[in-house]
Amino acid sequence: MKQCPVCGALHGDEQAQCACGADLTRQQPLPPPAQAAPPVQMGSLPPVPPFAGRPFVPSPPRPAFVPKTYTWADVLTVLGFTAALTGYFRAGILLLPLGLVASLAGFWGNKQRGLAVAGVVISAVGLLLEIMSILEKNCLLPYWLTDGVFFL
Ligand SMILES: [Zn+2]
C-alpha cells in the first residue's frame, strides 16, 4: 500500500499516480497493518491452538461396581433352557432341538455354564425320548429295543 503525500488517499503498490495528480512512484510502500489477520483460504478455518477454550478436565474415575450386562450367550442360555423344559410338554419336536441348539450356543460364550449345561442335557434327553416315542408310535422300532426290563 502506498499513501498519497498530497491528499492521503491509499493506493496499491502498482499505482503510479494518484487521482489528485500527485506522483506516487517515489512513495515508499506502507508497512502492512499490524492487526491484519492472516489470509484465510476459502473453505478452510484458521488454525486453532489445541485445547483453546477447552481446558483439560480429567474424566471422573470409573465406579467400582460395574453393572452386569447380558450378552447374547446369556439370552441363548435362558432361551435354550426354557425351550428344553417347555418341549417336554408342548411341541417337543420343535422346542427340544431349539433348546439344544440355543443351549449349545449359550454354552460356548457363557461363563456361568451351569444353566447352559442343564439346557443341553435336558433338551438332548428330551429329544431322544421324543424321537423314540415317535418311532415307537409308528412301529418303526423292534420290540427288543423299545421294551424295558418289565416288558410293559
Ligand atoms: Zn493524492
Side-chain angles (χ1 to χ4, degrees):
M1 294 289 282
K2 287 191 291 190
Q3 189 168 23
C4 174
V6 179
C7 68
L10 292 171
H11 301 281
D13 291 336
E14 304 83 7
Q15 194 86 13
Q17 195 177 26
C18 181
C20 70
D23 186 17
L24 296 174
T25 52
R26 274 181 266 172
Q27 198 67 18
Q28 291 297 314
L30 290 173
Q35 296 297 322
V40 177
Q41 293 181 345
M42 291 295 288
S44 69
L45 292 172
V48 177
F51 304 114
R54 287 186 296 140
F56 176 72
V57 177
S59 58
R62 285 170 167 268
F65 172 73
V66 178
K68 177 174 172 59
T69 56
Y70 290 97
T71 63
W72 275 111
D74 298 317
V75 175
L76 285 173
T77 300
V78 175
L79 175 68
F81 186 78
T82 307
L85 275 184
T86 311
Y88 272 77
F89 305 99
R90 294 285 177 184
I93 200 65
L94 296 175
L95 287 176
L96 287 172
L98 173 66
L100 182 61
V101 171
S103 296
L104 282 174
F107 178 79
W108 253 245
N110 205 333
K111 298 190 173 52
Q112 299 290 332
R113 290 180 168 176
L115 192 63
V117 172
V120 170
V121 172
I122 290 173
S123 56
V125 171
L127 189 60
L128 188 64
L129 292 173
E130 177 81 14
I131 292 173
M132 293 281 286
S133 172
I134 291 173
L135 293 177
E136 189 174 358
K137 284 171 187 170
N138 292 280
C139 300
L140 292 171
L141 288 177
Y143 69 94
W144 50 264
L145 185 60
T146 57
D147 282 354
V149 177
F150 301 107
F151 299 99
L152 292 177

